Amino acid sequence: MNLFRNKSNIRIVLYSLLSSVQMSFVGTLILSEVYAGLFSLNFRRIKQLQLNNPDVKRIQKALFIFLLIQMLSDVLNHNSMNNMLRGWAAIAVSLVVFTFMFRMFDDTPRIILAFMCAEIVRLILFGDSNFEQDTSSVMEDYSLFKFKIAPITNYITYLITFYTYNKRKDKLTVAILILYGLISVGLDYRSNGLFFIFGGLIIHFRKVLMNMTLARKIGITIFVAILFQILYMFYVNAVLSGEFGGKHAGDQLSETGNPYNPFSLIGQGRGEFFVAIEAIKDAPWLGHGSWAVDEGNHYRSLMFKDLDKDRSRMLAMSSSGVIPSHSVLLGAWLYGGVIAFLCIFYIFWLTMKRAFSLIVNERAMETPYYPIIVLFTIQLLWIFPFSPLPHIRSLLPLMIGFILTIYHSIQNEEDDEEEDLLPDNG
């Protein structure tokens, strides 16, 4: 077993390190994706994997249908050959990486620790190779914490809380998560901070959540919403007065129509989300095709409609030439139409169903992986609606593969006890 685990650790570490090597082939191809494809081409092993974890086949089918629908959309939209191939390659690579991650975690879920250690080393030595094209200009204006430091410290926090929770130091685990969350908010990475703060609160109240009635859940939800709004108002005052946060947060809030309304802040910070909705209205059934070009900067101009015409035109012209979306769910609909959206939404729904059942599962609470499950779940709730579609080939396979593997391991452990899920009582 130890030899088998060591081989799996080596494979996942190699995958991580190869993520920093890129090749120019139908867009950008990362060497780790090539490695994942070569390692996953074992149909007998895939068949066994599907038997062990039926969700593997469900995810694979959804992505395969997405690929077929995207091909149809591109042909009917008379898309350019380059954009066609880029779009198809992204979905195909996603299918390969999902399969690879499922196979890795099926060998042993504990390799998530080796992967995180490898990611820390890779990010320190080489940085993140998955930045969007316009990220460098943003980094010049705003804090480097979000782009350079947080990817490293996030993994460090995962590892620390894994071991503290494993040793049943629950209060310390919660304190670390909330403290790190507050530090992230203070260093101008608001969404990241909220992930860890809410993660800490869920872990603290996990026993309450497990036995909570529907009426009590509704009451707690209302209480949390009111408390969040009060704390958010204090946060806005502190940022606008320059006592807390950073330049990015201050600029966003000052440009928001009503800074005390968190939904207005989301609209200002994720304007691409609402622009994508407008584009979807114009082509709801088959979408606009892969990497749909924004002819005449029509949709990009909508993002800057509240600015003066000269500045709006300048910002629209300086941004990327594709229709903006910045959403996995809406990006699929924008590119491939309603069926493509349903495929990605099915993956989202399936994952959330499994994740929420784990969060309130007493057996899952006993495993040292529980903090990672909680944090991955919260992040997925943000990534699917508010992160770019290319996440289907990077973060999503890791998080979804891990959650679904733990879920099925717990479901099947009565017949086959999985030693990796047991806490370390030493």
Side-chain angles (χ1 to χ4, degrees):
M1 180 65 182
N2 287 334
L3 178 61
F4 185 62
R5 180 182 294 168
N6 288 338
K7 288 183 178 179
S8 298
N9 286 337
I10 292 171
R11 288 167 183 155
I12 201 70
V13 167
L14 184 58
Y15 173 85
S16 169
L17 298 179
L18 290 176
S19 297
S20 290
V21 184
Q22 296 183 348
M23 302 181 296
S24 181
F25 180 77
V26 190
T28 300
L29 186 64
I30 302 173
L31 194 56
S32 60
E33 297 168 345
V34 178
Y35 171 74
L38 294 175
F39 183 73
S40 300
L41 288 178
N42 185 329
F43 294 104
R44 180 182 299 177
R45 185 67 176 84
I46 291 174
K47 188 67 176 178
Q48 183 61 45
L49 183 61
Q50 293 172 344
L51 291 174
N52 294 343
N53 186 344
D55 287 338
V56 172
K57 191 172 184 178
R58 298 184 179 109
I59 297 290
Q60 290 172 335
K61 280 186 175 181
L63 289 171
F64 185 69
I65 294 171
F66 179 20
L67 176 59
L68 294 179
I69 291 299
Q70 190 62 65
M71 289 178 174
L72 177 63
S73 171
D74 287 332
V75 171
L76 294 181
N77 278 294
H78 305 289
N79 208 353
S80 69
M81 181 60 67
N82 183 58
N83 285 346
M84 277 188 187
L85 294 177
R86 290 173 68 194
W88 302 352
I91 302 171
V93 166
S94 172
L95 181 57
V96 166
V97 177
F98 263 104
T99 303
F100 173 80
M101 285 297 177
F102 276 122
R103 182 172 177 183
M104 288 290 92
F105 291 129
D106 187 63
D107 287 345
T108 167
R110 194 172 287 268
I111 66 167
I112 189 74
L113 306 179
F115 175 81
M116 290 179 176
C117 290
E119 282 290 277
I120 292 170
V121 173
R122 181 182 70 84
L123 291 169
I124 291 174
L125 295 179
F126 307 110
D128 193 347
S129 60
N130 295 320
F131 285 149
E132 296 177 56
Q133 292 180 353
D134 58 350
T135 300
S136 58
S137 61
V138 176
M139 288 176 60
E140 293 176 0
D141 296 330
Y142 301 126
S143 169
L144 294 180
F145 177 76
K146 175 178 180 179
F147 300 103
K148 288 289 188 180
I149 301 174
I152 299 170
T153 53
N154 282 359
Y155 282 124
I156 293 174
T157 305
Y158 285 138
L159 291 171
I160 292 174
T161 52
F162 172 89
Y163 286 107
T164 57
Y165 191 84
N166 189 30
K167 298 299 182 180
R168 291 301 180 257
K169 297 180 179 180
D170 296 356
K171 292 182 179 179
L172 178 60
T173 301
V174 172
I176 291 171
L177 291 174
I178 293 178
L179 178 61
Y180 178 65
L182 292 172
I183 292 173
S184 294
V185 175
L187 292 175
D188 219 3
Y189 196 179
R190 186 173 47 240
S191 60
N192 191 69
L194 292 178
F195 297 154
F196 286 89
I197 291 171
F198 280 118
L201 292 175
I202 289 174
I203 293 171
H204 181 69
F205 293 107
R206 64 192 184 283
K207 296 293 185 181
V208 177
L209 294 172
M210 183 176 66
N211 301 309
M212 192 178 293
T213 63
L214 178 60
R216 195 172 181 184
K217 287 179 181 177
I218 294 174
I220 291 293
T221 301
I222 295 173
F223 172 77
V224 170
I226 294 173
L227 179 62
F228 174 80
Q229 181 62 38
I230 293 173
L231 294 176
Y232 175 74
M233 292 171 69
F234 280 109
Y235 165 77
V236 171
N237 285 331
V239 171
L240 293 179
S241 63
E243 298 174 358
F244 190 73
K247 185 178 187 301
H248 190 196
D251 289 350
Q252 279 192 331
L253 288 172
S254 62
E255 294 175 2
T256 301
N258 180 8
Y260 295 98
N261 181 351
F263 294 103
S264 295
L265 178 60
I266 292 176
Q268 198 281 332
R270 286 292 183 267
E272 302 95 332
F273 180 91
F274 301 97
V275 171
I277 293 177
E278 294 301 317
I280 288 169
K281 289 179 182 178
D282 294 334
W285 302 112
L286 284 173
H288 294 264
S290 299
W291 296 93
V293 177
D294 186 6
E295 299 290 347
N297 301 315
H298 171 67
Y299 295 109
R300 281 171 289 167
S301 297
L302 295 177
M303 293 175 58
F304 314 112
K305 62 182 181 354
D306 295 331
L307 304 177
D308 63 78
K309 291 184 178 180
D310 290 338
R311 188 182 177 196
S312 173
R313 187 180 301 109
M314 179 187 68
L315 290 172
M317 291 295 293
S318 64
S319 58
S320 171
V322 301
I323 301 175
S325 64
H326 217 277
S327 168
V328 174
L329 289 167
L330 295 187
W333 198 340
L334 174 66
Y335 286 177
V338 65
I339 296 179
F341 164 77
L342 291 175
C343 289
I344 296 300
F345 181 80
Y346 172 76
I347 295 174
F348 174 58
W349 173 84
L350 177 67
T351 305
M352 290 299 102
K353 182 180 179 181
R354 304 296 191 231
F356 289 146
S357 69
L358 285 175
I359 287 175
V360 297
N361 184 288
E362 187 172 11
R363 181 67 188 92
M365 294 175 189
E366 295 175 356
T367 74
Y369 302 107
Y370 189 71
I372 300 176
I373 293 169
V374 170
L375 291 168
F376 277 6
T377 301
I378 296 172
Q379 289 184 66
L380 287 172
L381 285 170
W382 176 265
I383 289 173
F384 270 97
F386 298 122
S387 293
L389 183 59
H391 276 62
I392 64 172
R393 60 191 280 188
S394 56
L395 285 178
L396 293 187
L398 170 73
M399 295 180 173
I400 293 175
F402 182 75
I403 288 173
L404 297 186
T405 299
I406 298 295
Y407 173 83
H408 282 282
S409 295
I410 289 177
Q411 293 295 309
N412 298 329
E413 69 178 353
E414 292 183 1
D415 300 324
D416 182 17
E417 186 76 12
E418 172 57 72
E419 66 177 48
D420 282 336
L421 297 181
L422 298 176
D424 180 5
N425 295 319

